[in-house]
Amino acid sequence: MSATDRSVVKGPDAERPAVARAAVEHPTAERPARPGFLAVRLRVRRPGVWAAGVVLATLVLAAVFAPLLTSYDPIATDTTATGVAPGSPGHPLGTDLLGRDLLARLLYGARTSLLVGLAAAVITVVGGLLLGGLAAAGPRWLDELISRIADVLLSLPMLIVVLALAAVMGPSLTTVILAVAATSWMPVALVARAELISQRERLYVRAAHALGLSRGEVLRRHLLPGAVPPIASIAAFEVAHAILTESTLSFLGLGVPPNRPSWGNLLTEAQAHLLTGEWYTVAFPAACVVVTILAVNVLASAVDRREGRAW
Amino acid sequence: MVNVLEINGLTVDVPGRRVVDGLSLAVPAGRVVALVGPSGCGKSLTARSVVRLHDPGAGVRLGGTILLNGTDVLALARRELRGIRGRGVGYAFQDAAASLNPTVTIGRHLVETVAAHDAGDPRTLGAAALKRCGLPTEDVWDVRPYELSGGQAQRAALAVATVLEPDLLIADEVTTALDPVTQAEVLDAVRAQAAEQGRAVLLITHDLAVAGRWADEIAVLSGGRVVEHGPSTAVLDAPRAEFTRTLVAAARLADRNDPDRNDSVSPVPGDPLLSLRGARRVLKGRGRTTVALNGVDLDVRPGEAVAVVGRSGSGKSTLVGTLAALDRPVAGRVFADGRDVWGLRERERRALRRRGGLVFQDALASFDPRYTVAQVVAEALRSRESVDALLERVGLDPAMGERRPATLSGGERQRVAIARALAAGPAVLLADEPTTGLDVLAQERILALLAGLRRDEGLAIVFVTHDLRVARRIADRVVVLAEGAVVEDVPVTGLDFAIHPETRALLATTPLLAAANELDVANGGQRAPHGS
């Protein structure tokens, strides 16, 4: 890729699976700057952003191609090799006390955790934008309704709401995703609403109306791009939040069923071994969670703060 | 006479460029010295250098000497400098409302300034300062800046600047955004500071006529130096420097009827393109309701240029919004091509808007900050192919298309705005104060561009302005608004014989540059036929 077209993100996305691309960068996802469409560009000059992209892509690829990277079944126990330390032949990251290969469990666990994190973040951001947009553009009662519901949900401890949902719907992947989305759309909606309202009064929005643009066109071309930078940073937070919530719910036994490996489940099972010498059963899944969250945050920071400001 | 301020060989460097290059200027006590020049010539940089009030992040470097009562300001330590700011030098900014803290009352502004210098009883001093600036203390002391009108806010800012009786008052473009009646009030107050209090006043302005009417001396700034300095009448009547002659000529042109205009197309008698019938629009704010338009009737015919003139708050901008089919009147009707705009379906109304061109006073704010010049224009065109042609039509280099509007000069931005307004080939151009805040040269070029568009393409123009000089230059017909109502609707040639008090007030307060003999020539040569 030449140096000149680096300001428009294309490169690394191309070889990344479509699901991940849409999820990780939505709504900061960039299309080449067509006049009139989302005219926001990511400025990817910092090497850290590239590194974060590569890390995330690697994790996603590893999750997708897990069967090719390990020959072990993540839930098959092997009583001849229990509690093997990392670095042992055949088990590069060791095994747990039931003799399950930790690398295989991490790889298959990534499928669950990343799916939950990204899917919940997408639902959160899209839903939040939609509700925030409705509140900003719709009639006053709708604005009041959405804002007050958001306030009420924000004032309830998140875990209680999630626990209630999980208790009603039963532990499953869908439950986790919906529970996370239901408890985290509020910041997105409130920020989107505030940004849209503050921009609506700007002169360039009036100028756009004077050009005969419809409300939808004005929203798409002038209002939404301005709201992207603050929402991008919230979106990154939401991915991290979703992965962590999955871990928490699984830890409490209300998330992903225990027979299905996820980073959260791995941590749950390992809690007993934290002080007994099998530190690696905790350290590796925890490291995966931390690295993913860091990478997503760095990527979100690539949306130029100054975009959307008159400078 | 004692020189309060003496600037010798001042140089001001901003990163990459020397803006002020060896400027020397003296301001004696009791005199108003106007520093005049086009935008970007370093007027404000010079004024700010006197109190070293530059943006610390901008990397401004100063050279030369600035003597204030014999002390070199540039050699002072920060603490000593603070002693001078406010006490030795009062500074009034262009945007008074923005220079005052909106959460703090006028009284507290005054008290804070007095207390900072520990200079005596704040209430007495503050009241005296307000009185000198023509504001009754009891009315404004407990009021916050945004509750004042533009002229009151500017006078309050002047009071804050002069509360400690500084020897020097710097008035930096204090009336640029004000209408002529308010401008006269503020500048009379500035002048009184010099005449009655014996203060030295440095008046920064780009308006030669303002300088001629309110300043004793004029210093013309060009290329970072003072190219001419002398008594106002001498500089304006017999400019010696080439640059002053250009400025004076451009300003004179604005004062006179434009010779080009006589051969321009006369309005086509026909059905009006736009009309208002009894239009009434009410703005509801926090706790107060303003009737912005109160039963306005107006017709704009093809090829006609109508100037809408009035003081701030007279409803001019609301009128434009209503004509542009953007704002819906609460009563009355808006017709475009004979169709009732608000009886149409939304889609048809949008099509109507597309066929009208709208230009705003603050061009930069009317562009999406994310867009380049080409994108701004292309959005109106709905294709990209003829962006270059449009930019050329308004006298811009097509290569500018890739730049951001924020990097252009004020005049260039306004051209981009005009290019965008012309993109859809409108029959009417609605221009809301497009030349306010531009210097006389940039203003002249914009007016010439509009006159050319009218002549060549028969474009009708509705031109909102608070400047009667501009109205005379561009319009066939002048409509005077006062408190949301049309109080005068006369051909431009009949303006001098208008009798409504509002019109008379605007006429009386608009400073004219033409010297006495020139005025006679203008009156005798062009206006006499209508007079007799």
Side-chain angles (χ1 to χ4, degrees), chain B residues 36 207-215 218 220 228 230-240 244-245 247-249 251-252 512-515 518:
Chain B
V36 180
D207 190 333
L208 270 179
V210 162
R213 179 147 162 190
W214 280 281
I218 294 180
V220 180
E228 186 159 1
S232 299
T233 42
V235 171
L236 294 181
D237 290 348
R240 281 174 290 119
T244 319
R245 277 201 284 275
L247 270 187
V248 173
R252 285 248 157 82
L512 290 177
L513 192 60
E518 280 257 348

PDB file of all heavy atoms in Angstrom, chain B residues 36 207-215 218 220 228 230-240 244-245 247-249 251-252 512-515 518:
ATOM      1  N   VAL B  36      -5.744  51.637  10.230  1.00  0.00           N
ATOM      2  CA  VAL B  36      -6.637  51.144   9.191  1.00  0.00           C
ATOM      3  C   VAL B  36      -5.882  50.216   8.260  1.00  0.00           C
ATOM      4  O   VAL B  36      -4.705  50.464   7.950  1.00  0.00           O
ATOM      5  CB  VAL B  36      -7.201  52.336   8.377  1.00  0.00           C
ATOM      6  CG1 VAL B  36      -8.134  51.853   7.292  1.00  0.00           C
ATOM      7  CG2 VAL B  36      -7.910  53.306   9.294  1.00  0.00           C
ATOM      8  N   ASP B 207     -12.659  50.065   8.273  1.00  0.00           N
ATOM      9  CA  ASP B 207     -13.613  50.922   7.587  1.00  0.00           C
ATOM     10  C   ASP B 207     -13.075  52.355   7.559  1.00  0.00           C
ATOM     11  O   ASP B 207     -13.041  53.040   8.578  1.00  0.00           O
ATOM     12  CB  ASP B 207     -14.954  50.854   8.314  1.00  0.00           C
ATOM     13  CG  ASP B 207     -16.062  51.516   7.517  1.00  0.00           C
ATOM     14  OD1 ASP B 207     -15.755  52.430   6.721  1.00  0.00           O
ATOM     15  OD2 ASP B 207     -17.222  51.124   7.692  1.00  0.00           O
ATOM     16  N   LEU B 208     -12.674  52.794   6.377  1.00  0.00           N
ATOM     17  CA  LEU B 208     -12.091  54.128   6.260  1.00  0.00           C
ATOM     18  C   LEU B 208     -13.081  55.216   6.656  1.00  0.00           C
ATOM     19  O   LEU B 208     -12.711  56.231   7.244  1.00  0.00           O
ATOM     20  CB  LEU B 208     -11.641  54.380   4.823  1.00  0.00           C
ATOM     21  CG  LEU B 208     -10.206  53.984   4.474  1.00  0.00           C
ATOM     22  CD1 LEU B 208      -9.951  54.290   3.023  1.00  0.00           C
ATOM     23  CD2 LEU B 208      -9.216  54.713   5.359  1.00  0.00           C
ATOM     24  N   ALA B 209     -14.350  54.984   6.314  1.00  0.00           N
ATOM     25  CA  ALA B 209     -15.336  56.019   6.620  1.00  0.00           C
ATOM     26  C   ALA B 209     -15.498  56.176   8.128  1.00  0.00           C
ATOM     27  O   ALA B 209     -15.651  57.285   8.635  1.00  0.00           O
ATOM     28  CB  ALA B 209     -16.669  55.668   5.968  1.00  0.00           C
ATOM     29  N   VAL B 210     -15.441  55.062   8.847  1.00  0.00           N
ATOM     30  CA  VAL B 210     -15.495  55.124  10.314  1.00  0.00           C
ATOM     31  C   VAL B 210     -14.295  55.899  10.835  1.00  0.00           C
ATOM     32  O   VAL B 210     -14.419  56.785  11.688  1.00  0.00           O
ATOM     33  CB  VAL B 210     -15.526  53.694  10.907  1.00  0.00           C
ATOM     34  CG1 VAL B 210     -15.136  53.714  12.376  1.00  0.00           C
ATOM     35  CG2 VAL B 210     -16.900  53.079  10.726  1.00  0.00           C
ATOM     36  N   ALA B 211     -13.121  55.568  10.304  1.00  0.00           N
ATOM     37  CA  ALA B 211     -11.914  56.269  10.733  1.00  0.00           C
ATOM     38  C   ALA B 211     -12.042  57.761  10.451  1.00  0.00           C
ATOM     39  O   ALA B 211     -11.708  58.605  11.283  1.00  0.00           O
ATOM     40  CB  ALA B 211     -10.698  55.685  10.026  1.00  0.00           C
ATOM     41  N   GLY B 212     -12.573  58.089   9.283  1.00  0.00           N
ATOM     42  CA  GLY B 212     -12.680  59.494   8.897  1.00  0.00           C
ATOM     43  C   GLY B 212     -13.626  60.250   9.805  1.00  0.00           C
ATOM     44  O   GLY B 212     -13.425  61.429  10.092  1.00  0.00           O
ATOM     45  N   ARG B 213     -14.684  59.577  10.256  1.00  0.00           N
ATOM     46  CA  ARG B 213     -15.677  60.296  11.041  1.00  0.00           C
ATOM     47  C   ARG B 213     -15.309  60.386  12.522  1.00  0.00           C
ATOM     48  O   ARG B 213     -15.617  61.360  13.172  1.00  0.00           O
ATOM     49  CB  ARG B 213     -17.026  59.602  10.894  1.00  0.00           C
ATOM     50  CG  ARG B 213     -18.113  60.275  11.699  1.00  0.00           C
ATOM     51  CD  ARG B 213     -19.427  60.154  10.977  1.00  0.00           C
ATOM     52  NE  ARG B 213     -20.544  60.393  11.869  1.00  0.00           N
ATOM     53  CZ  ARG B 213     -21.807  60.166  11.552  1.00  0.00           C
ATOM     54  NH1 ARG B 213     -22.100  59.688  10.364  1.00  0.00           N
ATOM     55  NH2 ARG B 213     -22.761  60.411  12.390  1.00  0.00           N
ATOM     56  N   TRP B 214     -14.650  59.358  13.062  1.00  0.00           N
ATOM     57  CA  TRP B 214     -14.446  59.351  14.509  1.00  0.00           C
ATOM     58  C   TRP B 214     -12.992  59.515  14.960  1.00  0.00           C
ATOM     59  O   TRP B 214     -12.743  59.658  16.138  1.00  0.00           O
ATOM     60  CB  TRP B 214     -15.037  58.085  15.125  1.00  0.00           C
ATOM     61  CG  TRP B 214     -16.522  58.182  15.310  1.00  0.00           C
ATOM     62  CD1 TRP B 214     -17.154  58.848  16.318  1.00  0.00           C
ATOM     63  CD2 TRP B 214     -17.548  57.638  14.489  1.00  0.00           C
ATOM     64  NE1 TRP B 214     -18.522  58.750  16.171  1.00  0.00           N
ATOM     65  CE2 TRP B 214     -18.788  58.009  15.052  1.00  0.00           C
ATOM     66  CE3 TRP B 214     -17.546  56.881  13.310  1.00  0.00           C
ATOM     67  CZ2 TRP B 214     -20.011  57.634  14.484  1.00  0.00           C
ATOM     68  CZ3 TRP B 214     -18.751  56.506  12.768  1.00  0.00           C
ATOM     69  CH2 TRP B 214     -19.978  56.891  13.347  1.00  0.00           C
ATOM     70  N   ALA B 215     -12.033  59.453  14.013  1.00  0.00           N
ATOM     71  CA  ALA B 215     -10.632  59.538  14.434  1.00  0.00           C
ATOM     72  C   ALA B 215     -10.036  60.895  14.090  1.00  0.00           C
ATOM     73  O   ALA B 215     -10.447  61.544  13.132  1.00  0.00           O
ATOM     74  CB  ALA B 215      -9.826  58.430  13.765  1.00  0.00           C
ATOM     75  N   ILE B 218      -5.244  59.212  11.095  1.00  0.00           N
ATOM     76  CA  ILE B 218      -5.358  57.886  10.492  1.00  0.00           C
ATOM     77  C   ILE B 218      -3.967  57.382  10.153  1.00  0.00           C
ATOM     78  O   ILE B 218      -3.161  58.110   9.564  1.00  0.00           O
ATOM     79  CB  ILE B 218      -6.213  57.928   9.205  1.00  0.00           C
ATOM     80  CG1 ILE B 218      -7.657  58.285   9.568  1.00  0.00           C
ATOM     81  CG2 ILE B 218      -6.170  56.604   8.470  1.00  0.00           C
ATOM     82  CD1 ILE B 218      -8.574  58.351   8.377  1.00  0.00           C
ATOM     83  N   VAL B 220      -2.338  54.243   8.060  1.00  0.00           N
ATOM     84  CA  VAL B 220      -2.718  53.174   7.145  1.00  0.00           C
ATOM     85  C   VAL B 220      -1.638  52.102   7.183  1.00  0.00           C
ATOM     86  O   VAL B 220      -0.454  52.393   7.026  1.00  0.00           O
ATOM     87  CB  VAL B 220      -2.902  53.707   5.712  1.00  0.00           C
ATOM     88  CG1 VAL B 220      -3.300  52.580   4.782  1.00  0.00           C
ATOM     89  CG2 VAL B 220      -3.930  54.814   5.699  1.00  0.00           C
ATOM     90  N   GLU B 228       1.190  55.395   5.667  1.00  0.00           N
ATOM     91  CA  GLU B 228       0.788  56.796   5.682  1.00  0.00           C
ATOM     92  C   GLU B 228       0.174  57.112   7.039  1.00  0.00           C
ATOM     93  O   GLU B 228      -0.571  56.305   7.599  1.00  0.00           O
ATOM     94  CB  GLU B 228      -0.244  57.058   4.574  1.00  0.00           C
ATOM     95  CG  GLU B 228      -0.608  58.516   4.442  1.00  0.00           C
ATOM     96  CD  GLU B 228      -1.194  58.846   3.076  1.00  0.00           C
ATOM     97  OE1 GLU B 228      -1.324  57.939   2.251  1.00  0.00           O
ATOM     98  OE2 GLU B 228      -1.515  60.015   2.854  1.00  0.00           O
ATOM     99  N   GLY B 230      -1.411  60.600   9.186  1.00  0.00           N
ATOM    100  CA  GLY B 230      -1.617  62.038   9.237  1.00  0.00           C
ATOM    101  C   GLY B 230      -3.008  62.335   9.744  1.00  0.00           C
ATOM    102  O   GLY B 230      -3.762  61.420  10.082  1.00  0.00           O
ATOM    103  N   PRO B 231      -3.366  63.614   9.800  1.00  0.00           N
ATOM    104  CA  PRO B 231      -4.723  63.972  10.206  1.00  0.00           C
ATOM    105  C   PRO B 231      -5.741  63.324   9.265  1.00  0.00           C
ATOM    106  O   PRO B 231      -5.477  63.178   8.067  1.00  0.00           O
ATOM    107  CB  PRO B 231      -4.750  65.493  10.058  1.00  0.00           C
ATOM    108  CG  PRO B 231      -3.316  65.905  10.095  1.00  0.00           C
ATOM    109  CD  PRO B 231      -2.529  64.767   9.530  1.00  0.00           C
ATOM    110  N   SER B 232      -6.890  62.941   9.806  1.00  0.00           N
ATOM    111  CA  SER B 232      -7.868  62.179   9.030  1.00  0.00           C
ATOM    112  C   SER B 232      -8.227  62.824   7.705  1.00  0.00           C
ATOM    113  O   SER B 232      -8.191  62.177   6.654  1.00  0.00           O
ATOM    114  CB  SER B 232      -9.145  62.009   9.862  1.00  0.00           C
ATOM    115  OG  SER B 232      -8.856  61.311  11.033  1.00  0.00           O
ATOM    116  N   THR B 233      -8.565  64.100   7.763  1.00  0.00           N
ATOM    117  CA  THR B 233      -9.016  64.750   6.540  1.00  0.00           C
ATOM    118  C   THR B 233      -7.917  64.751   5.490  1.00  0.00           C
ATOM    119  O   THR B 233      -8.176  64.514   4.308  1.00  0.00           O
ATOM    120  CB  THR B 233      -9.450  66.204   6.823  1.00  0.00           C
ATOM    121  OG1 THR B 233      -8.493  66.773   7.726  1.00  0.00           O
ATOM    122  CG2 THR B 233     -10.825  66.245   7.438  1.00  0.00           C
ATOM    123  N   ALA B 234      -6.676  64.983   5.917  1.00  0.00           N
ATOM    124  CA  ALA B 234      -5.573  65.031   4.967  1.00  0.00           C
ATOM    125  C   ALA B 234      -5.380  63.672   4.303  1.00  0.00           C
ATOM    126  O   ALA B 234      -5.234  63.578   3.079  1.00  0.00           O
ATOM    127  CB  ALA B 234      -4.285  65.464   5.683  1.00  0.00           C
ATOM    128  N   VAL B 235      -5.427  62.617   5.114  1.00  0.00           N
ATOM    129  CA  VAL B 235      -5.199  61.280   4.562  1.00  0.00           C
ATOM    130  C   VAL B 235      -6.315  60.912   3.584  1.00  0.00           C
ATOM    131  O   VAL B 235      -6.065  60.349   2.518  1.00  0.00           O
ATOM    132  CB  VAL B 235      -5.109  60.233   5.698  1.00  0.00           C
ATOM    133  CG1 VAL B 235      -5.084  58.825   5.132  1.00  0.00           C
ATOM    134  CG2 VAL B 235      -3.880  60.478   6.543  1.00  0.00           C
ATOM    135  N   LEU B 236      -7.555  61.256   3.925  1.00  0.00           N
ATOM    136  CA  LEU B 236      -8.671  60.833   3.081  1.00  0.00           C
ATOM    137  C   LEU B 236      -8.827  61.712   1.844  1.00  0.00           C
ATOM    138  O   LEU B 236      -9.162  61.228   0.772  1.00  0.00           O
ATOM    139  CB  LEU B 236      -9.970  60.851   3.893  1.00  0.00           C
ATOM    140  CG  LEU B 236     -10.010  59.809   5.017  1.00  0.00           C
ATOM    141  CD1 LEU B 236     -11.333  59.872   5.754  1.00  0.00           C
ATOM    142  CD2 LEU B 236      -9.766  58.416   4.482  1.00  0.00           C
ATOM    143  N   ASP B 237      -8.562  63.013   1.989  1.00  0.00           N
ATOM    144  CA  ASP B 237      -8.751  63.911   0.843  1.00  0.00           C
ATOM    145  C   ASP B 237      -7.599  63.846  -0.136  1.00  0.00           C
ATOM    146  O   ASP B 237      -7.796  63.908  -1.347  1.00  0.00           O
ATOM    147  CB  ASP B 237      -8.898  65.363   1.342  1.00  0.00           C
ATOM    148  CG  ASP B 237     -10.222  65.545   2.065  1.00  0.00           C
ATOM    149  OD1 ASP B 237     -11.055  64.628   1.952  1.00  0.00           O
ATOM    150  OD2 ASP B 237     -10.394  66.572   2.734  1.00  0.00           O
ATOM    151  N   ALA B 238      -6.389  63.742   0.410  1.00  0.00           N
ATOM    152  CA  ALA B 238      -5.228  63.751  -0.479  1.00  0.00           C
ATOM    153  C   ALA B 238      -4.280  62.639  -0.087  1.00  0.00           C
ATOM    154  O   ALA B 238      -3.225  62.884   0.481  1.00  0.00           O
ATOM    155  CB  ALA B 238      -4.530  65.114  -0.386  1.00  0.00           C
ATOM    156  N   PRO B 239      -4.692  61.382  -0.330  1.00  0.00           N
ATOM    157  CA  PRO B 239      -3.804  60.286   0.052  1.00  0.00           C
ATOM    158  C   PRO B 239      -2.511  60.333  -0.751  1.00  0.00           C
ATOM    159  O   PRO B 239      -2.546  60.554  -1.960  1.00  0.00           O
ATOM    160  CB  PRO B 239      -4.627  59.035  -0.262  1.00  0.00           C
ATOM    161  CG  PRO B 239      -5.695  59.457  -1.179  1.00  0.00           C
ATOM    162  CD  PRO B 239      -5.917  60.923  -0.994  1.00  0.00           C
ATOM    163  N   ARG B 240      -1.409  60.144  -0.055  1.00  0.00           N
ATOM    164  CA  ARG B 240      -0.128  60.188  -0.747  1.00  0.00           C
ATOM    165  C   ARG B 240       0.322  58.799  -1.169  1.00  0.00           C
ATOM    166  O   ARG B 240       0.778  58.601  -2.267  1.00  0.00           O
ATOM    167  CB  ARG B 240       0.923  60.853   0.157  1.00  0.00           C
ATOM    168  CG  ARG B 240       0.837  62.364   0.189  1.00  0.00           C
ATOM    169  CD  ARG B 240       1.788  62.949   1.200  1.00  0.00           C
ATOM    170  NE  ARG B 240       1.369  62.658   2.568  1.00  0.00           N
ATOM    171  CZ  ARG B 240       2.086  61.960   3.428  1.00  0.00           C
ATOM    172  NH1 ARG B 240       3.266  61.506   3.089  1.00  0.00           N
ATOM    173  NH2 ARG B 240       1.632  61.725   4.642  1.00  0.00           N
ATOM    174  N   THR B 244      -2.997  53.708   0.058  1.00  0.00           N
ATOM    175  CA  THR B 244      -4.101  54.491   0.611  1.00  0.00           C
ATOM    176  C   THR B 244      -5.057  54.894  -0.503  1.00  0.00           C
ATOM    177  O   THR B 244      -6.272  54.869  -0.334  1.00  0.00           O
ATOM    178  CB  THR B 244      -3.559  55.749   1.308  1.00  0.00           C
ATOM    179  OG1 THR B 244      -2.391  55.399   2.019  1.00  0.00           O
ATOM    180  CG2 THR B 244      -4.567  56.331   2.252  1.00  0.00           C
ATOM    181  N   ARG B 245      -4.484  55.268  -1.648  1.00  0.00           N
ATOM    182  CA  ARG B 245      -5.344  55.660  -2.770  1.00  0.00           C
ATOM    183  C   ARG B 245      -6.263  54.512  -3.177  1.00  0.00           C
ATOM    184  O   ARG B 245      -7.447  54.714  -3.428  1.00  0.00           O
ATOM    185  CB  ARG B 245      -4.481  56.114  -3.950  1.00  0.00           C
ATOM    186  CG  ARG B 245      -4.037  57.566  -3.823  1.00  0.00           C
ATOM    187  CD  ARG B 245      -3.634  58.147  -5.165  1.00  0.00           C
ATOM    188  NE  ARG B 245      -2.328  57.682  -5.589  1.00  0.00           N
ATOM    189  CZ  ARG B 245      -1.186  58.254  -5.209  1.00  0.00           C
ATOM    190  NH1 ARG B 245      -1.193  59.317  -4.420  1.00  0.00           N
ATOM    191  NH2 ARG B 245      -0.039  57.786  -5.627  1.00  0.00           N
ATOM    192  N   LEU B 247      -7.302  52.030  -1.275  1.00  0.00           N
ATOM    193  CA  LEU B 247      -8.312  51.858  -0.225  1.00  0.00           C
ATOM    194  C   LEU B 247      -9.405  52.918  -0.334  1.00  0.00           C
ATOM    195  O   LEU B 247     -10.593  52.614  -0.280  1.00  0.00           O
ATOM    196  CB  LEU B 247      -7.666  51.982   1.159  1.00  0.00           C
ATOM    197  CG  LEU B 247      -7.124  50.751   1.856  1.00  0.00           C
ATOM    198  CD1 LEU B 247      -6.713  51.112   3.269  1.00  0.00           C
ATOM    199  CD2 LEU B 247      -8.142  49.639   1.881  1.00  0.00           C
ATOM    200  N   VAL B 248      -8.963  54.166  -0.495  1.00  0.00           N
ATOM    201  CA  VAL B 248      -9.922  55.264  -0.552  1.00  0.00           C
ATOM    202  C   VAL B 248     -10.821  55.103  -1.770  1.00  0.00           C
ATOM    203  O   VAL B 248     -12.041  55.285  -1.693  1.00  0.00           O
ATOM    204  CB  VAL B 248      -9.193  56.622  -0.566  1.00  0.00           C
ATOM    205  CG1 VAL B 248     -10.182  57.758  -0.808  1.00  0.00           C
ATOM    206  CG2 VAL B 248      -8.446  56.833   0.737  1.00  0.00           C
ATOM    207  N   ALA B 249     -10.208  54.712  -2.896  1.00  0.00           N
ATOM    208  CA  ALA B 249     -11.005  54.542  -4.108  1.00  0.00           C
ATOM    209  C   ALA B 249     -12.052  53.460  -3.914  1.00  0.00           C
ATOM    210  O   ALA B 249     -13.214  53.623  -4.292  1.00  0.00           O
ATOM    211  CB  ALA B 249     -10.084  54.203  -5.282  1.00  0.00           C
ATOM    212  N   ALA B 251     -13.362  52.438  -1.127  1.00  0.00           N
ATOM    213  CA  ALA B 251     -14.378  52.885  -0.183  1.00  0.00           C
ATOM    214  C   ALA B 251     -15.310  53.896  -0.840  1.00  0.00           C
ATOM    215  O   ALA B 251     -16.516  53.893  -0.595  1.00  0.00           O
ATOM    216  CB  ALA B 251     -13.718  53.491   1.049  1.00  0.00           C
ATOM    217  N   ARG B 252     -14.771  54.755  -1.690  1.00  0.00           N
ATOM    218  CA  ARG B 252     -15.597  55.754  -2.379  1.00  0.00           C
ATOM    219  C   ARG B 252     -16.621  55.082  -3.281  1.00  0.00           C
ATOM    220  O   ARG B 252     -17.760  55.488  -3.354  1.00  0.00           O
ATOM    221  CB  ARG B 252     -14.691  56.633  -3.264  1.00  0.00           C
ATOM    222  CG  ARG B 252     -13.905  57.614  -2.489  1.00  0.00           C
ATOM    223  CD  ARG B 252     -14.380  59.034  -2.785  1.00  0.00           C
ATOM    224  NE  ARG B 252     -14.007  59.892  -1.675  1.00  0.00           N
ATOM    225  CZ  ARG B 252     -12.797  60.414  -1.543  1.00  0.00           C
ATOM    226  NH1 ARG B 252     -11.871  60.205  -2.451  1.00  0.00           N
ATOM    227  NH2 ARG B 252     -12.517  61.148  -0.508  1.00  0.00           N
ATOM    228  N   LEU B 512     -19.972  58.571   5.802  1.00  0.00           N
ATOM    229  CA  LEU B 512     -19.657  58.607   4.381  1.00  0.00           C
ATOM    230  C   LEU B 512     -18.238  59.110   4.206  1.00  0.00           C
ATOM    231  O   LEU B 512     -17.750  59.937   4.971  1.00  0.00           O
ATOM    232  CB  LEU B 512     -20.622  59.544   3.649  1.00  0.00           C
ATOM    233  CG  LEU B 512     -22.046  59.007   3.553  1.00  0.00           C
ATOM    234  CD1 LEU B 512     -22.935  60.039   2.890  1.00  0.00           C
ATOM    235  CD2 LEU B 512     -22.063  57.704   2.779  1.00  0.00           C
ATOM    236  N   LEU B 513     -17.598  58.594   3.189  1.00  0.00           N
ATOM    237  CA  LEU B 513     -16.209  58.946   3.009  1.00  0.00           C
ATOM    238  C   LEU B 513     -16.050  60.160   2.118  1.00  0.00           C
ATOM    239  O   LEU B 513     -15.134  60.956   2.283  1.00  0.00           O
ATOM    240  CB  LEU B 513     -15.472  57.756   2.391  1.00  0.00           C
ATOM    241  CG  LEU B 513     -13.979  57.880   2.424  1.00  0.00           C
ATOM    242  CD1 LEU B 513     -13.495  57.986   3.851  1.00  0.00           C
ATOM    243  CD2 LEU B 513     -13.362  56.680   1.753  1.00  0.00           C
ATOM    244  N   ALA B 514     -16.986  60.297   1.171  1.00  0.00           N
ATOM    245  CA  ALA B 514     -16.809  61.326   0.161  1.00  0.00           C
ATOM    246  C   ALA B 514     -16.575  62.682   0.824  1.00  0.00           C
ATOM    247  O   ALA B 514     -17.273  63.067   1.744  1.00  0.00           O
ATOM    248  CB  ALA B 514     -18.045  61.382  -0.720  1.00  0.00           C
ATOM    249  N   ALA B 515     -15.562  63.373   0.338  1.00  0.00           N
ATOM    250  CA  ALA B 515     -15.305  64.718   0.837  1.00  0.00           C
ATOM    251  C   ALA B 515     -16.427  65.616   0.351  1.00  0.00           C
ATOM    252  O   ALA B 515     -17.201  65.254  -0.536  1.00  0.00           O
ATOM    253  CB  ALA B 515     -13.970  65.215   0.328  1.00  0.00           C
ATOM    254  N   GLU B 518     -16.855  66.110  -3.359  1.00  0.00           N
ATOM    255  CA  GLU B 518     -17.259  64.888  -4.040  1.00  0.00           C
ATOM    256  C   GLU B 518     -18.755  64.660  -3.896  1.00  0.00           C
ATOM    257  O   GLU B 518     -19.434  64.258  -4.821  1.00  0.00           O
ATOM    258  CB  GLU B 518     -16.541  63.688  -3.427  1.00  0.00           C
ATOM    259  CG  GLU B 518     -15.130  63.491  -3.903  1.00  0.00           C
ATOM    260  CD  GLU B 518     -15.050  62.360  -4.903  1.00  0.00           C
ATOM    261  OE1 GLU B 518     -16.041  61.634  -5.020  1.00  0.00           O
ATOM    262  OE2 GLU B 518     -14.023  62.235  -5.561  1.00  0.00           O
TER     263      GLU B 518
END
